[in-house]
Structure formats: C-alpha cells, structure tokens
C-alpha cells in the first residue's frame, strides 16, 4: 500500500532545515551563507502560510485568522524582548520602531496590496462593515494611546511615560485587545464572517482531520520560530547594510517587521486573490491589533523590570503620516466596497513612509 503524506513534504523540510542552519549559524558567516539563510527563511514563511491555512480551515472563521495573528505576534514579542534584553537601554526604541513599522506596513502595504490585487482581478470586492469598523475603532484607540499620547504628557520629559503611566497604558491596551477578541469570537462572531459564507466553496470544502490539523498547528509554531530566529540571525547583516546606506536606525525596525509579517501578508494576499476580502481584512487588521495590543504590555513589563525608559512616542513626521494613514484607511473601508483606487492610494502612502524613513 502506497504511503501518502498528510502534508506537502516541502512544508515539513523547510522549518527543519531552518532550525539546523540556525544551530550552525556561528560556524559560517560568509555572504553566501547569509543568502542561503534568507532563502530558507522565505521557504519557512511559505510553509507557515500553508500550515496556518490548514489550521484555519479546521477551526473555521474568524478563529482561523485569530490563530495566525496571535501566533505570529507572540513570536514577534519574543524577538523584540530578546533584542531589548541583549541590547539594554540603547534598544529601548526598538519596540517603538518595530510596532510602528508593523502598523504602517499592515495598514498601507498589506491592506493596499490586497485591495489592489483583488480589485484588479474582480473589479469590486465587498466585506462586512461591522467587523471592519470594530477593528479600526479599537486599533485607532490603542495606536494613539501608545504611539502619539506619550509626546504630550508632561510628568516625564521626552516621548516616554512615567512608570505609573506605562503600567496604566499597558493594562488598558490589553483590556482593549481582549475586548476586541471577545467580540470577534463570541459576542458578535457573525460580524467577521463573509456575507456569502453559505455559498463559499472554500469554506465548505471538507476540513482536514484533527490529526492533520494538530500536526499543522505544531509545524506552524516550528515555522514561526524558525522565521524569527533566522530573522534574528540575519539582524547583524541587516544593521550593517542599513549603516552602509547611511539610513536611520529605524529602518532596522521596518525590516524586522516585514520579516515577521510575511506569513500573514501572504495569507491575506491569497485570500484577496480568491475573492475572500473579509478574511483578508480579518487577517490584516487583526494582525495590527495583536501586534500593538500584545507587544506594548509585554515590552512595558520588560522595561519596568530592567529599569530603563521605554521610548514610545513617534516624531512629528511619523505622526502626520500615521494620522493620514488612519484617515485614509477609515475612509477607504467606510462603504463596504473597494476597488483598485483605494489600494493604489494606500500603497502610495506606504512608499512615502518608506522613502521618508530612508531619506528623512
């Protein structure tokens, strides 16, 4: 009897190779080895997307998108915290740069590309307003409280909170995120389901078995761990490249955020190409909420424990671009219908953000 693999072989091989390479990363630091690390990193990202979709199909929406968002964010938090601990007070701005970059990448690049690709293929796409409105409302409140308000408090000089303020903001940030999760998964789960869910063949295809879903869940964590560890291993080379370009250190945060968000970005793009914009937006906006809603409380605890100031406030230029991005995406998603135009505008804002980061 011929044995049939429950999952594609490449989705199992890539994360294993990634962990082996990470174990031997110190033995070879030449340029070709770095390129090989990057190639395996991309393969691990693609494997993570596949396993996430298997798990999502088994547990159903919107739990599937929540699984991927929370799993990746936990890994992101672990990476940021480890870099903060090893870097000391000098790394205090890394959390801010990475979280801000993640939100800007999601709101402008990820959502913009999904709207552009979906609009180009289908002309016009629709989604449920209630779920998107809940996501944007919560995201706006958390983002302003954590990234903008620190610039205007007067108890402590500079874009930082005092210890008591940081504890308070960390608590309310976590409360807001958990409240959103409760609404998304329990109280108003139907807000986050596609309006044509009953007719969606992909959603009603036979789900994988429990055994295959559990195997994919385990491999998803292995893949995400590999993505973060290889990203961390490539960080010195990234920092050297940024320094050689003469670009600001904040570009490192953008690159780290891009690496961490690749699995979710590819999953969201695939959903948009399959005319499942609701799932795509659930992934994108849920990822932004998890990124900021879980990261800020975690790094707040680390900074308080180690006794160094956590710089959270973004500068004036970043604030203007951030507020503009929030206004544009709220207007773009205010009708329940999207075309390529909204995608183009959001992508342009992302490239403006990227350009002004490199050449401030």
């Amino acid at each position: 009897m011929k044995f049939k693999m429950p999952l594609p072989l490449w989705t199992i091989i890539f994360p294993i190779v990634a962990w082996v390479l990470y174990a031997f990363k110190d033995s070879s630091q030449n340029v070709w080895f770095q390129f090989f690390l990057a190639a395996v990193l991309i393969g691990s990202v693609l494997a993570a997307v596949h396993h996430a979709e298997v798990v999502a199909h088994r547990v159903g929406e919107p739990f599937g998108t929540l699984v991927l968002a929370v799993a990746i964010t936990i890994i992101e938090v672990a990476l940021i915290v480890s870099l903060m601990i090893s870097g000391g007070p000098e790394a205090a701005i890394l959390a801010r740069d990475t979280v801000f970059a993640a939100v800007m990448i999601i709101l402008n690049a990820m959502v913009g590309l999904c709207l552009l690709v979906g609009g180009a293929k289908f002309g016009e796409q629709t989604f449920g307003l209630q779920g998107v409105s809940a996501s944007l409302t919560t995201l706006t409140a958390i983002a302003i409280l954590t990234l903008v308000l620190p610039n205007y408090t007067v108890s402590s000089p500079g874009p930082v909170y005092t210890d008591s303020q940081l504890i308070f903001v960390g608590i309310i940030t976590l409360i807001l995120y958990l409240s959103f999760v409760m609404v998304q998964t329990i109280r108003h789960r139907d807000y986050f389901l596609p309006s044509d869910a009953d007719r969606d063949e992909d959603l009603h295809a036979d789900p994988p078995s429990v055994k295959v879903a559990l195997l994919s869940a385990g491999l998803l964590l292995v893949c995400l761990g590999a993505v973060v560890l290889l990203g961390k291993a490539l960080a010195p080379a990234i920092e050297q490249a940024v320094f050689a370009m003469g670009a600001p250190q904040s570009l490192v945060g953008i690159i780290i955020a891009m690496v961490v968000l690749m699995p979710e970005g590819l999953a969201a793009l695939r959903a948009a190409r399959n005319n499942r914009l609701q799932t795509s937006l659930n992934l994108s906006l849920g990822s932004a909420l998890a990124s900021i809603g879980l990261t800020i409380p975690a790094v707040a605890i680390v900074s308080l424990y180690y006794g160094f100031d956590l710089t959270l406030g973004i500068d004036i230029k970043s604030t203007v671009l951030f507020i503009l991005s929030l206004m544009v995406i709220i207007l773009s998603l205010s009708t329940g219908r999207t075309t390529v135009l909204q995608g183009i505008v959001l992508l342009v804002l992302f490239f403006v953000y990227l350009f002004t980061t490199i050449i401030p």
Side-chain angles (χ1 to χ4, degrees):
M1 182 177 178
K2 187 176 179 181
F3 175 74
K4 183 179 179 181
M5 292 288 293
L7 294 167
L9 185 61
W10 68 271
T11 66
I12 302 174
I13 292 176
F14 265 111
I16 295 175
V17 172
W19 280 88
V20 172
L21 286 176
Y22 181 76
F24 292 98
K25 68 181 187 308
D26 292 330
S27 61
S28 176
Q29 291 296 323
N30 59 59
V31 175
W32 291 111
F33 185 77
Q34 300 292 337
F35 277 116
F36 191 45
L37 279 181
V40 174
L41 171 64
I42 294 173
S44 299
V45 167
L46 296 175
V49 172
H50 179 85
H51 294 306
E53 291 182 339
V54 172
V55 174
H57 193 189
R58 179 66 199 184
V59 300
E61 289 297 333
F63 296 98
T65 56
L66 183 64
V67 167
L68 181 57
V70 173
I72 289 180
T73 302
I74 291 174
I75 302 297
E76 177 188 0
V77 169
L79 174 61
I80 292 174
V81 168
S82 65
L83 292 175
M84 285 178 64
I85 293 174
S86 61
E90 293 78 12
I93 64 171
L94 178 64
R96 178 200 65 185
D97 291 342
T98 304
V99 169
F100 177 60
V103 174
M104 292 294 284
I105 290 168
I106 292 167
L107 292 183
N108 295 312
M110 191 185 297
V111 175
L113 189 59
C114 289
L115 298 186
L116 177 62
V117 171
K121 186 173 182 180
F122 300 102
E124 183 179 82
Q125 291 183 297
T126 61
F127 57 89
L129 278 175
Q130 295 95 332
V132 170
S133 176
S135 302
L136 289 175
T137 298
T138 311
L139 178 61
T140 300
I142 294 178
I144 297 297
L145 289 173
T146 55
L147 297 175
V148 178
L149 185 60
N151 291 319
Y152 300 97
T153 54
V154 297
S155 297
S156 178
V160 298
Y161 280 131
T162 64
D163 289 353
S164 60
Q165 289 172 336
L166 188 58
I167 293 172
F168 177 74
V169 169
I171 292 173
I172 62 173
T173 296
L174 193 57
I175 289 174
L176 285 172
Y177 177 70
L178 293 178
S179 299
F180 169 79
V181 171
M182 180 191 67
V183 168
Q184 183 185 32
T185 58
I186 301 174
R187 296 282 296 182
H188 299 286
R189 179 172 175 261
D190 55 309
Y191 287 177
F192 300 86
L193 295 176
S195 58
D196 59 347
D198 294 337
R199 302 189 302 272
D200 195 323
E201 295 180 0
D202 291 333
L203 294 178
H204 292 282
D206 291 335
S209 65
V210 175
K211 180 180 178 180
V212 172
L214 290 175
L215 178 60
S216 278
L219 287 171
L220 173 61
L221 294 178
V222 173
C223 289
L224 294 176
V227 168
V228 172
L229 290 176
L230 291 187
K232 185 177 179 180
L234 290 168
I238 294 172
E239 291 179 350
Q240 291 176 8
V242 170
F243 180 77
M245 290 170 56
Q249 193 70 16
S250 56
L251 184 60
V252 176
I254 295 178
I255 296 173
I256 291 175
M258 283 183 170
V259 170
V260 174
L261 290 171
M262 272 198 294
E264 281 175 312
L266 290 175
L269 183 60
R270 184 175 297 181
R273 291 182 61 186
N274 291 332
N275 204 22
R276 293 188 287 120
L277 185 59
Q278 182 70 59
T279 299
S280 181
L281 293 175
N282 286 348
L283 270 168
S284 301
L285 300 179
S287 172
L289 277 163
S291 178
I292 195 168
L294 296 178
T295 302
I296 296 300
V299 297
I301 293 172
V302 172
S303 65
L304 290 170
Y305 181 81
Y306 284 92
F308 52 78
D309 291 332
L310 180 64
T311 302
L312 287 178
I314 54 179
D315 59 28
I316 297 297
K317 171 181 66 68
S318 299
T319 300
V320 171
L321 285 174
F322 183 47
I323 299 298
L324 177 61
S325 298
L326 287 173
M327 290 175 56
V328 169
I329 196 166
I330 289 172
L331 292 172
S332 298
L333 302 179
S334 63
T335 64
R337 298 177 180 274
T338 60
T339 64
V340 294
L341 177 60
Q342 289 96 331
I344 292 172
V345 174
L346 289 171
L347 284 172
V348 166
L349 289 181
F350 171 72
F351 286 116
V352 170
Y353 160 66
L354 189 62
F355 181 81
T356 54
T357 298
I358 299 173
I359 306 177

